[in-house]
Structures are given as C-alpha cells and as structure tokens.
Amino acid sequence: MKNRNDLPSTFNLRSLILAAVPAYVFPALMSFTSGFFLQKNELMSASYTSIGLSSLLSTVVSFIILWQFESRQILAQNKLLRSVLIVMLMISLGMACSTLLNLQSERFNITFSAFLGAAILTIRQQIKKS
C-alpha cells in the first residue's frame, strides 16, 4: 500500500534525459557555430569533445548529487547554497580532470562547460520537500 505522504520524486530517467540532451547539444552547437563562422577548426573539434562532453558529464553528476540531496533531504530548503556548492564542486572536478589528463590547453573550455552544465541544472531542477 502506498503512503499518501510520499510525493513522487522529480528525479527519474525521463528528467535525466531532458536535462542531459540539451546540456550536450546546446554548448556543442553554439561553439561549433562560432568556430565555423570564425573559421577555427580547433574550436569546431573541441565543441563536441571537451566542451559538449564536459557539460554533459557535469550535468549528469549534478543530477545524481541533487537526487541524493532530495532523497536524504539535504539542503532541501536552501536552493542558493545547494546550487553554489554543486557548481563549485563541478568547477573543481573540471579543473582536476584537465590537470590529471594533461589537457592544459582545454582547461578553460572544460571548466566553463562544467560550470554551465551544473549551474543550469541546479537552478532548474526542483527538490521535493518532505
């Protein structure tokens, strides 16, 4: 028997896909388009690798963290603090990954894309309060 006090979670596969697809497509499309018009091949190739992928990974990891925050009711009341913590974590992970993988030339792209992916998701995604 279902408990009527349990609200369904906003975190499911559908909402993950709805967050992840734009997180990859839009940064990749924007950077590819600007690289095309500026005739910069390195920007066009970075658009679907370091820019799109880092935004996608940041969004997926942020989604999982927010899902855990909702299930454990961590920072459910304070959206600003929750967003700032997750965004700072994603920026740190982006910088750490670019350092560990020796991608110093792509550090800005990776870090900024991680910031965008995390910021957009944490601002848009709601957490249900119990």
Side-chain angles (χ1 to χ4, degrees):
M1 183 171 163
K2 271 191 157 177
N3 187 352
R4 292 186 185 202
N5 292 336
D6 289 339
L7 297 173
S9 176
T10 59
F11 295 92
N12 53 37
L13 184 60
R14 182 179 183 270
S15 61
L16 174 61
I17 291 171
L18 287 175
V21 170
Y24 179 79
V25 171
F26 291 128
L29 186 64
M30 287 187 316
S31 58
F32 184 86
T33 303
S34 61
F36 178 77
F37 285 118
L38 296 172
Q39 297 178 348
K40 293 190 174 187
N41 291 333
E42 64 275 356
L43 182 57
M44 288 190 293
S45 64
S47 67
Y48 56 87
T49 55
S50 63
I51 295 172
L53 284 177
S54 60
S55 179
L56 174 67
L57 291 174
S58 172
T59 300
V60 170
V61 171
S62 298
F63 187 88
I64 293 168
I65 292 170
L66 283 172
W67 188 1
Q68 292 303 307
F69 278 7
E70 181 187 70
S71 68
R72 294 186 171 104
Q73 289 297 299
I74 300 170
L75 296 173
Q77 303 294 327
N78 197 338
K79 186 176 190 175
L80 178 64
L81 181 60
R82 183 177 64 232
S83 297
V84 168
L85 286 174
I86 292 174
V87 166
M88 295 305 291
L89 176 66
M90 292 304 116
I91 289 172
S92 301
L93 285 175
M95 292 182 79
C97 287
S98 65
T99 302
L100 290 173
L101 298 173
N102 200 18
L103 298 171
Q104 303 305 327
S105 62
E106 299 295 326
R107 177 175 275 180
F108 177 76
N109 290 340
I110 292 171
T111 306
F112 189 68
S113 295
F115 161 75
L116 283 177
I120 292 169
L121 179 74
T122 56
I123 291 169
R124 286 184 58 224
Q125 191 72 36
Q126 299 294 321
I127 288 184
K128 300 244 183 198
K129 299 167 188 84
S130 59

